[in-house]
Amino acid sequence: MKDGAPILTADLLLQAYQVGVFPMSEGRDDPEVFWVDPRMRGIMPLDAFHISRSLARSMRRGRYSVTYNTAFSAVVQGCADRDETWINSTIFDLYSALHDRGYAHSIEVWDDDRLVGGVYGVAIGGAFFGESMFSRITDASKIALAYLVDRLRLGGYQLFDTQFITPHLASLGAVEVPRDHYRAMLVEALTKEASFDSPGPIPPAQDVIQRNAQTS
């Protein structure tokens, strides 16, 4: 953080999410962290996630296994393992602390015992704040997102914040909303009760695909 700014703690990070801002760094080796409050906010409507035919085929093949909250640190590291990243050591440690306290969660995609994709984020009330995802093989991050959206629906979440929108996310159903609209959605979602763990074990791929078809 800049000189004179409050020390960034896990509690401060939780407060920031609840007013609509999130932290980033300029790079892996940059010790500074700054707050981001986009004018246009990316969200993934939970009833509009799109599982394409090709993605459904990848999921049905059963080559990959999916877990949740079994390799959180490895997922964050996978997201940071690229030429340009906003995840520095401070951010890594903060999300690890939130995971230890039950606020941060991950979905992992495995090829045998190799972690090939995943996504992680922070859950507060009925809002889930997606932070980052990675893929080491074709469709791995899409598979992680499909299982995440299914889990958020079953767990009672109302808002899935993706922060920004990319062509990749747009192809799956993500949209942009103005800051004021997002904040109104956030206030409403924070009043709701939801649970990341209540859906229980990871379901078979066919169940995820069928539920998605019924809601989208």
Side-chain angles (χ1 to χ4, degrees):
M1 302 297 289
K2 300 296 184 182
D3 291 343
I7 296 174
L8 185 51
T9 64
D11 285 330
L12 182 58
L13 186 52
L14 290 174
Q15 293 173 24
Y17 276 114
Q18 293 176 75
V19 296
V21 300
F22 55 89
M24 296 184 73
S25 173
E26 292 290 354
R28 171 184 298 106
D29 299 322
D30 188 336
E32 301 292 342
V33 176
F34 58 91
W35 296 115
V36 183
D37 183 13
R39 184 180 62 83
M40 297 295 293
R41 193 72 164 233
I43 64 167
M44 178 70 72
L46 293 174
D47 59 355
F49 185 79
H50 176 60
I51 295 181
S52 66
R53 290 181 180 179
S54 61
L55 178 56
R57 283 196 298 270
S58 293
M59 294 170 67
R60 289 192 183 103
R61 285 191 189 108
R63 174 181 174 182
Y64 311 119
S65 59
V66 180
T67 58
Y68 79 97
N69 284 342
T70 65
F72 181 84
S73 293
V75 169
V76 180
Q77 186 59 54
C79 294
D81 187 18
R82 57 192 69 175
D83 291 339
E84 294 185 7
T85 179
W86 52 267
I87 301 172
N88 64 8
S89 60
T90 298
I91 288 176
F92 185 95
D93 291 345
L94 284 168
Y95 288 104
S96 296
L98 290 184
H99 176 66
D100 290 342
R101 292 171 57 178
Y103 286 102
H105 305 280
S106 61
I107 297 284
E108 305 96 18
V109 180
W110 305 86
D111 184 358
D112 291 327
D113 60 353
R114 177 181 170 230
L115 183 65
V116 294
V119 59
Y120 78 97
V122 175
I124 308 174
F128 188 87
F129 308 89
E131 278 300 315
S132 190
M133 59 187 176
F134 78 100
S135 186
R136 293 180 177 138
I137 58 172
T138 301
D139 285 343
S141 62
K142 292 181 180 180
I143 292 170
L145 278 173
Y147 277 86
L148 173 59
V149 168
D150 186 66
R151 193 159 200 86
L152 296 181
R153 288 182 187 137
L154 295 177
Y157 289 87
Q158 182 171 314
L159 173 64
F160 181 7
D161 170 16
T162 66
Q163 300 179 345
F164 300 106
I165 191 170
T166 64
H168 175 72
L169 289 172
S171 72
L172 297 169
V175 297
E176 282 186 320
V177 296
R179 181 187 293 145
D180 289 348
H181 186 184
Y182 168 78
R183 287 179 176 170
M185 297 173 69
L186 175 61
V187 168
E188 176 67 18
L190 290 173
T191 67
K192 306 299 181 182
E193 292 187 6
S195 171
F196 197 86
D197 294 320
S198 64
I202 291 290
Q206 187 57 35
D207 290 357
V208 175
I209 295 167
Q210 287 181 343
R211 280 194 289 266
N212 181 79
Q214 292 166 359
T215 56
S216 60

